[in-house]
Amino acid sequence: MGRTSEARVKILSAARSLIELRGYSALGVAEICKAAGVPKGSFYYFFDSKEALALAVIDEHWTGQRSTWERVLSADTGPLDRLRRLFEETEAGQLAGQESCGSVAGCLFGNLTLEMSNQTESVRARLQEIFEAQVEMVEAVVSEALERQEVTVTDTREAARSVVAQLEGQVLFAKLYNNTRRLGTLWTNCLALLGVRTAGEVTAGA
Amino acid sequence: MGRTSEARVKILSAARSLIELRGYSALGVAEICKAAGVPKGSFYYFFDSKEALALAVIDEHWTGQRSTWERVLSADTGPLDRLRRLFEETEAGQLAGQESCGSVAGCLFGNLTLEMSNQTESVRARLQEIFEAQVEMVEAVVSEALERQEVTVTDTREAARSVVAQLEGQVLFAKLYNNTRRLGTLWTNCLALLGVRTAGEVTAGA
């Protein structure tokens, strides 16, 4: 196989699997190429460095996840209902990962934040952009819910950030216990963080 | 320097700093010994493996942190006020770390959960025990607050877990943005998660 875009796809896919399994730091380029089934020359044709590969893996994962988030958060239903579906999608995604590889992989962005953000400024900057984009997407829905008087937050940005922080924290627990049911509390916690008291109120509003 | 307990302390201290800086996987025993200023033979006198060292670093860190949590959470003040102080201590601890090494290190247990829990079962089990202990300590305080009717949770265990998850999520953001002020929202979010609506109500109750 030569320097085709197919080789690039294989490298990205192998790198993502290996990063999810073992993190970034412990990986070597030779190992990634072996798993991808491409010669080392191909790697350096497509990527200047392992760091460039990490950024490409992050970008590719975000492209897919952003499209899921956009689809779920722009659905034709009440704003809080869309947030609930986002958590359901997250749980389903982690469960699918666990079924395919045996372990809850967690959030690639959260994993790389804790592993790499203090080592590689380009990765830190990219992860900041992604989390800001996530917070913005959640904030838009929270603002809509606020206009409909379904939530009682005073600062929609901070509220959205807290919802994403709770998501990251619970995904961490899901990974630690290798149990996606940990994510079942996300919806209740989101309602609490947004100042909605009971599920009954929400169902009525959605 | 021989096989003294001083050498063990130096190895643990160097390993902890290096793990906080660069994670566990990328470290080698030789590098740890060089940073500690001890011969490699000393390492294997005290530790069977790098994994054994990781467990010792985790245990040592938890011994210190548990003692802080116990002191703060058993203080002679209202239960919610003790939780507030726990978040202040966390923020102060992360700030002190940032001042000494330039970067917010984050939570050693959260970092190692995302990096190692799917690779090393002994580390996963130890981290589970530590997070369970944290949740139990928070739950005891939440139960006390519930008896005083200061909170409105229905499941104190789940509520405590959500508070710890929020803590981990916000510490992740503090690390990502290298900014401990991200932790300033912990108190408000804790009140929301525990079903306490306004800070005024809490101050009155504490």
Side-chain angles (χ1 to χ4, degrees):
Chain A
M1 191 171 55
R3 288 166 182 174
T4 63
S5 61
E6 195 195 341
R8 186 176 187 276
V9 169
K10 287 190 176 189
I11 293 168
L12 277 176
S13 165
R16 182 177 152 178
S17 299
L18 287 168
I19 288 173
E20 286 198 331
L21 216 59
R22 309 214 330 260
Y24 167 86
S25 305
L27 289 184
V29 167
E31 185 184 8
I32 295 165
C33 292
K34 194 178 168 196
V38 302
K40 213 165 164 178
S42 288
F43 182 94
Y44 288 107
Y45 178 76
F46 292 112
F47 304 102
D48 285 341
S49 60
K50 200 178 128 193
E51 182 180 323
L53 171 68
L55 289 169
V57 168
I58 289 169
D59 287 345
E60 197 199 44
H61 187 63
W62 177 228
T63 301
Q65 191 183 89
R66 187 178 49 208
S67 131
T68 303
W69 280 46
E70 280 169 352
R71 174 176 54 75
V72 172
L73 293 179
S74 68
D76 187 21
T77 176
L80 290 177
D81 193 51
R82 281 176 263 152
L83 279 180
R84 186 176 55 73
R85 290 185 192 189
L86 182 68
F87 304 137
E88 288 170 359
E89 284 274 347
T90 301
E91 188 172 344
Q94 291 292 332
L95 185 62
Q98 186 193 30
E99 280 166 356
S100 88
C101 80
S103 302
V104 172
C107 167
L108 181 71
F109 307 131
N111 295 347
L112 290 177
T113 292
L114 296 195
E115 190 186 352
M116 292 182 72
S117 61
N118 282 350
Q119 295 179 71
T120 314
E121 284 306 318
S122 61
V123 171
R124 186 200 291 274
R126 194 68 57 95
L127 292 168
Q128 284 179 358
E129 285 167 20
I130 289 169
F131 277 113
E132 283 306 309
Q134 289 188 350
V135 169
E136 260 174 47
M137 288 164 87
V138 171
E139 190 193 7
V141 181
V142 171
S143 297
E144 209 182 316
L146 187 63
E147 277 167 28
R148 294 161 56 127
Q149 299 183 303
E150 291 174 3
V151 298
T152 59
V153 297
T154 51
D155 182 333
T156 53
R157 187 74 172 185
E158 274 310 312
R161 199 179 296 285
S162 299
V163 168
V164 177
Q166 177 71 213
L167 181 65
E168 286 299 314
Q170 295 284 8
V171 167
L172 182 148
F173 279 147
K175 181 168 179 171
L176 177 64
Y177 292 93
N178 197 25
N179 185 348
T180 58
R181 285 195 303 276
R182 299 276 168 177
L183 301 173
T185 59
L186 282 171
W187 175 229
T188 320
N189 290 341
C190 171
L191 296 182
L193 288 168
L194 298 179
V196 183
R197 275 297 168 84
T198 68
E201 281 170 52
V202 177
T203 309
Chain B
M1 188 170 59
R3 288 167 181 175
T4 63
S5 60
E6 194 195 343
R8 186 175 186 277
V9 168
K10 287 190 178 189
I11 293 168
L12 277 176
S13 165
R16 180 176 154 181
S17 299
L18 287 169
I19 288 173
E20 285 198 332
L21 216 60
R22 310 214 329 261
Y24 167 86
S25 305
L27 289 183
V29 168
E31 184 183 7
I32 295 165
C33 292
K34 194 178 167 195
V38 303
K40 214 165 164 179
S42 289
F43 182 94
Y44 288 105
Y45 177 78
F46 291 112
F47 303 102
D48 286 341
S49 61
K50 200 180 129 192
E51 182 179 324
L53 171 69
L55 289 169
V57 168
I58 288 169
D59 288 345
E60 196 199 44
H61 187 61
W62 177 229
T63 301
Q65 191 183 88
R66 187 178 48 209
S67 131
T68 302
W69 280 46
E70 280 169 353
R71 174 176 54 74
V72 172
L73 294 180
S74 66
D76 187 21
T77 176
L80 289 177
D81 194 50
R82 281 177 263 150
L83 279 181
R84 186 177 55 75
R85 289 185 193 189
L86 182 67
F87 304 137
E88 287 170 359
E89 284 274 348
T90 302
E91 188 171 345
Q94 291 292 334
L95 185 62
Q98 186 192 31
E99 281 167 354
S100 88
C101 79
S103 302
V104 172
C107 166
L108 182 71
F109 307 131
N111 295 346
L112 291 176
T113 292
L114 295 196
E115 190 187 351
M116 294 181 72
S117 61
N118 281 350
Q119 295 180 69
T120 314
E121 285 306 317
S122 61
V123 170
R124 185 200 291 274
R126 195 67 58 95
L127 291 168
Q128 284 180 357
E129 285 167 22
I130 289 169
F131 277 113
E132 282 306 309
Q134 288 188 352
V135 168
E136 260 174 45
M137 288 164 86
V138 170
E139 190 193 5
V141 180
V142 171
S143 297
E144 208 183 317
L146 186 63
E147 278 167 27
R148 295 162 56 128
Q149 298 183 305
E150 292 173 4
V151 299
T152 58
V153 297
T154 49
D155 182 333
T156 54
R157 188 71 170 186
E158 274 309 312
R161 199 179 296 284
S162 300
V163 168
V164 176
Q166 177 71 214
L167 181 66
E168 286 299 314
Q170 295 285 9
V171 166
L172 182 148
F173 279 147
K175 180 168 179 171
L176 177 63
Y177 292 92
N178 198 24
N179 184 348
T180 58
R181 285 196 302 277
R182 299 276 168 177
L183 301 173
T185 59
L186 282 172
W187 174 229
T188 319
N189 290 341
C190 172
L191 296 183
L193 288 168
L194 297 180
V196 183
R197 276 297 168 84
T198 68
E201 281 170 51
V202 178
T203 310

